[in-house]
Amino acid sequence: MTAPPDVLISEVGPRDGLQSVQATMSTAAKCAWIDALHAAGLREIEVGSFVSPRLLPQMADVADVVRHAVGLPGLTVMALVPNLRGAQAALATPLHKLTLPVSASAAHSMANVRQTPAQMVELVRQVVALRDASAPAVRVEAGMSTAFGCTLQGRVPEDDVVRLAVALAEAGVDEVGLSDTTGMADPAQVRRLFRRVRAEIGTRTGAAHLHNTRGLGLANCLAAWDEGVRTFDSSQGGLGGCPYAPGASGNVVTEDLVFMFEAMGVRTGVDLERLQAARAVLAAGLPGEPLYGMTPEAGLPPGFTYADGRRPSAATSTLASADADRS
């Protein structure tokens, strides 16, 4: 591409997706999937989490995966760390970005990390200090879980979310993202909350991490776009969820999110045909695991053009026509 994309699609499947399935994907299969995602044009990938392998055996090889992924040109390699020990282990690798989960819901915070939100802010402060001392080039993001509601606590007051965002910015993070962990958000709420947070912390307002639990994932992404959000988390095949948020099903599907933006004329830098090839790599690495998404099933519509003027191959157009004939 001759110009940077209009939006950054941050792929979280190798972490959020894989930790949510029972099977453990092999290291070789993870690396092959990440290679395929990179080949499709994705330039930020959350490759795993630095947690106890006893709790999440799916993430036991995260350091090896990081070392592989950092060799891919132009890729920002990101990992989640839930505590100081995880941050220390992560900063011993050559990754580019850390994400810490900080829940706006006290009930979810205790279930997820056994810390109150205030204690997590203090942890964030310690991680930022550790980053500054040992790896100042690494960015630190706080992903604010349950910002739009919690299945354990119920309603999460917006004032609490805004105050927590301010506290996290004051703790020194580079970005504060808002996460619809439980899939309870609606577009009006997404617009309102991102507008309020941006008014308080400005450019430190980070990604929209939205779920499709009730079918509003793309609508909520569009609402966040309207409010100036330009980084969106998504997961190939819609893999993901939260084991500590009952009933919270998968993330926004990367394939559908890319299609929506490209159809709107918003450049993502992602090639949908190569993304479909990456989906095949994922399926091979997780045989039998259900994958979701409307675009992969329907194909690209006849006459589809990418935002930068490119057209898909004839094979993809034929696939779309064949699907239409079967309906």
Side-chain angles (χ1 to χ4, degrees), residues 32 85 95 106 185 256 258 323:
R85 179 178 296 179
L95 89 175
D256 292 342
V258 169
D323 283 348

Side-chain angles (χ1 to χ4, degrees), residues 113-260:
V113 293
R114 299 181 183 178
Q115 301 280 317
T116 67
Q119 288 172 320
M120 285 300 294
V121 171
E122 181 54 35
L123 170 65
V124 167
R125 199 182 310 276
Q126 294 173 24
V127 170
V128 169
L130 179 64
R131 182 277 309 268
D132 291 346
S134 60
V138 173
R139 293 181 64 81
V140 176
E141 174 192 48
M144 199 188 306
S145 309
T146 63
F148 299 93
C150 175
T151 52
L152 299 174
Q153 173 179 308
R155 177 177 172 270
V156 176
E158 291 185 6
D159 287 349
D160 291 356
V161 175
V162 175
R163 278 194 295 267
L164 185 55
V166 171
L168 290 166
E170 291 174 346
V173 299
D174 299 294
E175 303 170 41
V176 179
L178 300 184
S179 300
D180 183 24
T181 313
T182 58
M184 295 170 69
D186 64 75
Q189 182 187 22
V190 169
R191 288 193 184 92
R192 188 170 61 245
L193 197 49
F194 268 106
R195 186 182 306 138
R196 290 190 61 186
V197 169
R198 184 177 294 276
E200 293 292 334
I201 67 171
T203 58
R204 292 197 188 193
T205 307
H209 180 109
L210 302 168
H211 283 216
N212 200 43
T213 310
R214 293 170 177 81
L216 292 179
L218 290 182
N220 288 336
C221 285
L222 184 57
W225 158 263
D226 287 342
E227 288 301 321
V229 176
R230 293 299 180 264
T231 301
F232 295 86
D233 292 353
S234 62
S235 178
Q236 182 154 55
L239 290 179
C242 178
Y244 301 106
S249 54
N251 294 287
V252 168
V253 177
T254 302
E255 297 92 323
D256 292 342
L257 183 64
V258 169
F259 173 74
M260 181 187 78

Side-chain angles (χ1 to χ4, degrees), residues 67-120:
R67 282 189 283 269
H68 172 82
V70 294
L72 298 171
L75 179 65
T76 296
V77 178
M78 178 170 61
L80 181 140
V81 298
N83 50 42
L84 192 59
R85 179 178 296 179
Q88 291 167 336
L91 290 170
T93 71
L95 89 175
H96 307 120
K97 187 175 178 180
L98 299 180
T99 299
L100 290 102
V102 182
S103 182
S105 157
H108 180 265
S109 188
M110 292 302 297
N112 190 33
V113 293
R114 299 181 183 178
Q115 301 280 317
T116 67
Q119 288 172 320
M120 285 300 294

